[in-house]
Amino acid sequence: MSKTLLKVTGLKKSFSIPAGMFEKKKLLKAVHDVSFMIPEGKTFSLVGESGCGKSTTGRLISRLIEPGDGEIWLDGEEISQKKEAQLKGMRKKVQMIFQDPYASLNPRMKVRDIVAEPLTIHTNLSRAERYKQVSEILEVVGLSDYHANRYAHEFSGGQRQRIGIARALIMKPKLIIADEPVSALDVSIQAQILNLLKELQAEFDLTYLFISHDLSVVEHISDHIGVMYLGTIVESGPKEVIFSNPQHPYTKALLSSIPIPDPKLRRERIILQGDLPSPVNPPAGCRFHTRCPVAMDICKGTEPPVKPGETAGHFVSCHLVE
Amino acid sequence: MELSKAVNSSTTIKKEKKYSPLRELLKNWKKQKNALWASLFILLLITVAIIGPFIAPYDPYKPDYNAMLQGPGIDHIAGTDEYGRDIFSRLLFGARISLTVSFLSVFLGAIGGTILGLLSGYFGGWLDRLIMRSSDVMFAFPDILLAIAIVAILGPGLTNVVIAVSIFSIPSFARLVRSSTLEAKETVFVEAAKSMGASHFRIMFQHILPETLGSLIVFISMRIGTAILAASSLSFLGLGASPETPDWGAMLSLGRDYLGTSTHVVMMPGIAIFLTVLAFNIVGDGLRDVLDPKTKNE
């Protein structure tokens, strides 16, 4: 088994939300006790509906948001409590790809300066050396050197995301946190970008933390999957296990929502009742019990412990699982 | 076959023009008719400020007691003042003083205000509150009163006028830049820069400042008009340029004793101030239409 690159244990984050003059200050528990690990060179995906805290988890790990509690071990180093000044090393190892390739590239900078920015920040290379690396990395992501002298808005969505990927790659990072990198793109372009990410992973031995709400995308790219609901991981495990033998009722419901590309086939869909409860006031006991089709009495009072499943690396938090 | 030929030829004819922000700016600028004229006027004014002393027909300081308070005529295009000095020559010299004072003071005020606004908007917290409450205190004074107070402390003279006008420009620039900073701070590319480990300095000046430049340039051009007015007012009140200097405000001040008999002595510098301030305001309006993304597509 390969070495663990990222290990997260008991990660928590609450945001205080502004209250009225006479109200008690409220806390929005965005991430509540999240733990997982990613072996080097593998892809771990966080899936869940919007507002479940998956993006916040990504931003906590990249230290864009201050973690509240818990530990983040990156390459054998605890980074959750370090000050920004001590994070230089971590900033080189972790790069991000963002959801919206239209907003994540500065519209007033040329592509070569956008892609070279990590080098400008972290190295003392001369301008010519930086630009040389830029043109090399642009070739790697399927663009050409002549694209470098243009502005980001002259490109299509897919090309822009390639620019974003080039920027993330240029520091030769170990971990790439990809926050919904394809959900703003057309389906045909999605496939290109996903395949590019896979090729790059093989070529540069990259580790991905992949955040998505789209299960078919996740199935394509992941090795391991963590299913998030309301700030917690309810089930995690190898991709094959999650897709073929899901244990948690929420995972089952999610999987049943994937459309089948054959009109003659019908899948029995599990339709969840109600809306996602507010993370300001999450349900007691199991967080899913308000919408769970098979909820029992115990679910309302006791939070289910994390139990190992039948396969190695498979974990479920549900009272139904023995 | 024919079709593909046609398609090919049409694509080759239209040569791809490279995008550049400056080219787009110039293209849009040509559509602003008023602002175009106003900017030409300002260009003329700047030229005059530079070469004025060489083309002036008379020495602006030399009295001519044979030609006192003459109306506009062939010898003196704009007439003469109470000491017989040629008003047209004095206006030409005055253009240099007015423009230098206003450009310098607005420039200094813009630099100070931009830095304070960036710090205030970017870091927030107690620094933001300190800077913004201090500006509120300064906003509570009428501009000219504040400038008078500063000149009263520092003493009269053109240098102190520059300092006074730049100080009272700082809060408005700070507030403007702060609001654009608050907006720019939330963009994803700023978040991306943070995730790369960019320093605060780099984020502020590489990513946020360019976002504020549009509204900053508009405000600078508007503010130059105000600064000319303020500097002239201070000179008019005897707090700026000394009376013999060919400053437009000082000329107004001298001429007010002859308002009833020789109107041209105040009219000429008055018109110069009026046209200059108007030109800068029109240019500011035009620039806003061209640069400000919020009004761009309306």
Side-chain angles (χ1 to χ4, degrees), chain A:
Chain A
M1 195 170 155
S2 61
K3 150 179 171 230
T4 303
L5 181 75
L6 179 76
K7 188 176 165 201
V8 177
T9 45
L11 191 63
K12 285 180 189 170
K13 178 67 188 178
S14 309
F15 297 102
S16 56
I17 48 176
M21 205 188 278
F22 301 108
E23 283 174 281
K24 230 176 98 182
K25 216 175 181 183
K26 286 177 186 160
L27 283 180
L28 187 152
K29 299 182 189 78
V31 175
H32 184 77
D33 208 358
V34 162
S35 306
F36 61 89
M37 48 180 267
I38 316 178
E40 205 166 335
K42 299 288 182 193
T43 302
F44 183 89
S45 293
L46 282 174
V47 280
E49 52 200 305
S50 6
C52 72
K54 52 192 194 305
S55 284
T56 309
T57 308
R59 279 166 168 69
L60 286 171
I61 293 166
S62 66
R63 287 296 308 269
L64 279 173
I65 310 175
E66 287 300 303
D69 207 0
E71 292 177 1
I72 304 166
W73 289 85
L74 177 81
D75 214 8
E77 207 182 349
E78 215 289 311
I79 55 163
S80 71
Q81 299 306 323
K82 286 197 172 172
K83 298 261 181 306
E84 183 64 43
Q86 301 168 300
L87 286 173
K88 276 260 167 187
M90 167 265 175
R91 296 274 180 224
K92 286 187 216 172
K93 285 181 198 163
V94 181
Q95 295 288 320
M96 285 192 83
I97 300 171
F98 292 87
Q99 170 172 12
D100 186 351
Y102 293 82
S104 63
L105 308 175
N106 189 334
R108 286 165 213 273
M109 284 165 76
K110 285 186 175 168
V111 166
R112 65 157 55 106
D113 293 313
I114 292 176
V115 177
E117 192 163 17
L119 293 176
T120 319
I121 294 167
H122 291 291
T123 66
N124 293 321
L125 295 177
S126 72
R127 182 182 290 249
E129 287 168 316
R130 290 201 301 264
Y131 286 165
K132 191 166 162 278
Q133 290 201 25
V134 169
S135 54
E136 283 165 15
I137 210 82
L138 284 178
E139 302 277 347
V140 171
V141 298
L143 294 170
S144 304
D145 187 39
Y146 69 84
H147 289 122
N149 206 22
R150 300 187 184 176
Y151 290 91
H153 63 82
E154 295 173 70
F155 294 90
S156 67
Q159 285 175 315
R160 286 182 209 207
Q161 202 56 296
R162 285 174 195 267
I163 296 168
I165 293 170
R167 172 172 69 181
L169 274 180
I170 200 159
M171 283 308 293
K172 305 275 183 294
K174 296 201 159 174
L175 176 69
I176 289 188
I177 300 176
D179 186 1
E180 305 251 14
V182 295
S183 49
L185 307 173
D186 288 345
V187 179
S188 56
I189 311 291
Q190 284 191 357
Q192 290 178 13
I193 296 292
L194 288 176
N195 289 333
L196 173 68
L197 286 172
K198 279 190 128 177
E199 286 161 21
L200 293 173
Q201 180 167 41
E203 194 176 338
F204 297 103
D205 198 22
L206 296 168
T207 309
Y208 290 138
L209 172 60
F210 196 90
I211 297 163
S212 181
H213 64 269
D214 188 335
L215 283 163
S216 36
V217 166
V218 164
E219 183 176 15
H220 187 71
I221 195 152
S222 316
D223 298 301
H224 293 265
I225 293 173
V227 181
M228 276 189 90
Y229 182 78
L230 216 58
T232 56
I233 294 186
V234 292
E235 181 166 10
S236 68
K239 171 178 78 179
E240 300 75 25
V241 180
I242 297 285
F243 274 89
S244 61
N245 186 22
Q247 294 297 311
H248 198 281
Y250 180 64
T251 316
K252 289 178 186 166
L254 268 190
L255 290 175
S256 79
S257 70
I258 304 178
I260 311 171
D262 184 345
K264 286 182 199 126
L265 285 176
R266 283 272 180 272
R267 198 205 300 263
E268 201 181 319
R269 278 206 62 184
I270 306 168
I271 310 278
L272 293 178
Q273 301 298 318
D275 290 329
L276 193 68
S278 158
V280 177
N281 203 358
C286 174
R287 294 185 159 215
F288 186 52
H289 83 256
T290 51
R291 299 167 76 192
C292 184
V294 289
M296 305 174 292
D297 277 345
I298 185 176
C299 303
K300 287 173 191 159
T302 325
E303 211 170 312
V306 181
K307 297 173 200 165
E310 289 161 13
T311 326
H314 184 199
F315 295 97
V316 195
S317 311
C318 184
H319 288 298
L320 275 173
V321 180
E322 288 310 319

Side-chain angles (χ1 to χ4, degrees), chain B residues 77-216:
Chain B
I77 314 171
T80 58
D81 66 5
E82 53 176 318
Y83 301 113
R85 295 177 293 201
D86 181 53
I87 290 182
F88 181 67
S89 305
R90 289 175 69 78
L91 284 179
L92 292 184
F93 273 78
R96 176 178 277 190
I97 296 174
S98 286
L99 287 188
T100 318
V101 167
S102 56
F103 274 66
L104 257 182
S105 54
V106 171
F107 193 62
L108 291 176
I111 291 178
T114 303
I115 291 173
L116 287 177
L118 273 175
L119 291 173
S120 179
Y122 182 74
F123 288 109
W126 64 267
L127 189 66
D128 181 31
R129 282 196 291 276
L130 178 72
I131 293 172
M132 281 303 115
R133 288 305 81 78
S134 321
S135 337
D136 286 344
V137 169
M138 288 178 75
F139 275 123
F141 292 101
D143 281 0
I144 196 71
L145 194 66
L146 189 66
I148 290 173
I150 297 168
V151 172
I153 296 168
L154 299 172
L158 278 176
T159 322
N160 292 339
V161 167
V162 171
I163 296 173
V165 176
S166 56
I167 287 179
F168 86 64
S169 299
I170 287 177
S172 2
F173 277 108
R175 193 180 267 191
L176 175 88
V177 171
R178 174 181 176 268
S179 71
S180 325
T181 303
L182 287 177
E183 216 172 289
K185 190 171 81 162
E186 300 302 323
T187 54
V188 186
F189 60 80
V190 166
E191 198 182 15
K194 273 186 200 157
S195 82
M196 284 178 242
S199 61
H200 294 309
F201 184 84
R202 184 177 173 84
I203 293 175
M204 274 194 279
F205 288 94
Q206 175 81 42
H207 294 283
I208 294 180
L209 185 61
E211 291 298 296
T212 69
L213 271 187
S215 43
L216 201 57

